[in-house]
Amino acid sequence: MHPHVFNALHTSDQKELEELYRVWATNYDHDVVDVIGYVGHSITTNLLVKYLHNTKAKILDAGCGTGLAGESLNKFFYNNIVGIDFSQPMLDQASKKNIYKSLFQADLTKTLEFEDNSFDAIVCAGTFTCGHVGPRALFELIRVSKAGGYIVFTVREQEWDLLPYDKTIVELEEKHLWHCLERFSTEYNVAEEVNCELCIYQVH
Ligand SMILES: C[S@@+](CC[C@H](N)C(=O)[O-])C[C@H]1O[C@@H](n2cnc3c(N)ncnc32)[C@H](O)[C@@H]1O
């Protein structure tokens, strides 16, 4: 496994994770796309554009990192994108791409500084993974989504097995907060033969 990827999956706290992304930010795109064959950004955006046809839609890229998902969305002419991430050095890389309407430092495990019903769609690629953000963050993503909005996200397969994603997703369905459009296992880090669960839900 690529050493930065290994370290990113094995940090002991958020401070260590932030430090890892500070050091990794400039080489992140090369390492994940060219070396480990990461496709989380493209599979999420490809699935979203199947459902979201308005290219002016306001999209939140939650855990945007260096902006790979923003770049993918931009290829489909979506350009009303807000990015959030807790790593300022990752946001600085995203900013250089001139894709995002705005970029903010924010912690997805806390209450977000957005009004209820703010976004037409939310993309969260590669961020529901070991030691990063757990399933409780889905409640907050739903809060900031408009009714009828889409939330598309990946969950690394070993994290899916470890944390109560299934339970949380069912809880959100039972509370009539969203319903499933598609959910399936698919390639994630192709060169490392790691899969993820790819999910798209529509908010009520
Ligand atoms: C594997 S990267 C994925 C980045 C991007 N979405 C992509 O597809 O390349 C995970 C990102 O999650 C961010 N992250 C981790 N924990 C976070 C948290 N609690 N709140 C916000 N962002 C977080 C990291 O800073 C990093 O940019």
Side-chain angles (χ1 to χ4, degrees):
M1 189 185 282
H2 188 282
H4 276 318
V5 178
F6 179 86
N7 291 337
L9 300 175
H10 294 90
T11 52
S12 49
D13 57 30
Q14 215 184 48
K15 226 174 139 219
E16 215 180 287
L17 190 63
E18 265 192 86
E19 176 57 13
L20 180 123
Y21 279 109
R22 185 188 68 73
V23 173
W24 197 11
T26 47
N27 286 328
Y28 174 87
D29 285 7
H30 164 74
D31 289 350
V32 300
V33 177
D34 303 332
V35 181
I36 67 166
Y38 170 71
V39 292
H41 56 302
S42 49
I43 57 175
T44 46
T45 53
N46 288 349
L47 186 57
L48 178 62
V49 302
K50 198 172 142 187
Y51 291 93
L52 181 74
H53 302 130
N54 175 11
T55 53
K56 305 264 178 295
K58 189 171 178 188
I59 303 174
L60 176 67
D61 184 358
C64 62
T66 58
L68 289 176
E71 276 182 293
S72 295
L73 283 167
N74 216 238
K75 289 188 188 136
F76 292 104
F77 309 107
Y78 293 82
N79 55 19
N80 190 4
I81 314 167
V82 175
I84 56 171
D85 198 283
F86 78 171
S87 167
Q88 190 57 49
M90 293 291 271
L91 289 166
D92 292 343
Q93 296 300 315
S95 168
K96 288 184 194 163
K97 294 177 179 167
N98 288 321
I99 290 165
Y100 293 88
K101 273 262 150 61
S102 48
L103 289 162
F104 302 103
Q105 200 170 19
D107 185 342
L108 284 161
T109 63
K110 308 247 160 74
T111 303
L112 300 174
E113 287 182 25
F114 296 116
E115 302 283 326
D116 296 0
N117 312 314
S118 292
F119 295 97
D120 298 297
I122 298 181
V123 175
C124 188
T127 300
F128 289 114
T129 187
C130 313
H132 285 51
V133 175
R136 296 315 289 179
L138 291 168
F139 283 87
E140 191 58 4
L141 296 187
I142 289 176
R143 182 187 69 76
V144 303
S145 288
K146 293 180 188 171
Y150 302 101
I151 301 181
V152 57
F153 57 100
T154 60
V155 182
R156 192 184 165 98
E157 62 182 2
Q158 77 198 81
E159 186 72 346
W160 181 275
D161 296 337
L162 208 65
L163 293 187
Y165 279 96
D166 242 340
K167 195 169 165 263
T168 307
I169 280 168
V170 170
E171 182 186 342
L172 293 167
E173 284 175 328
E174 284 173 357
K175 287 185 167 155
H176 302 289
L177 294 174
W178 71 3
H179 67 273
C180 184
L181 295 173
E182 289 187 56
R183 195 193 111 187
F184 50 93
S185 175
T186 187
E187 287 180 326
Y188 184 60
N189 292 343
V190 178
E192 296 190 332
E193 295 182 10
V194 172
N195 281 7
C196 70
E197 203 74 11
L198 176 61
C199 312
I200 184 160
Y201 281 75
Q202 189 166 25
V203 175
H204 296 168

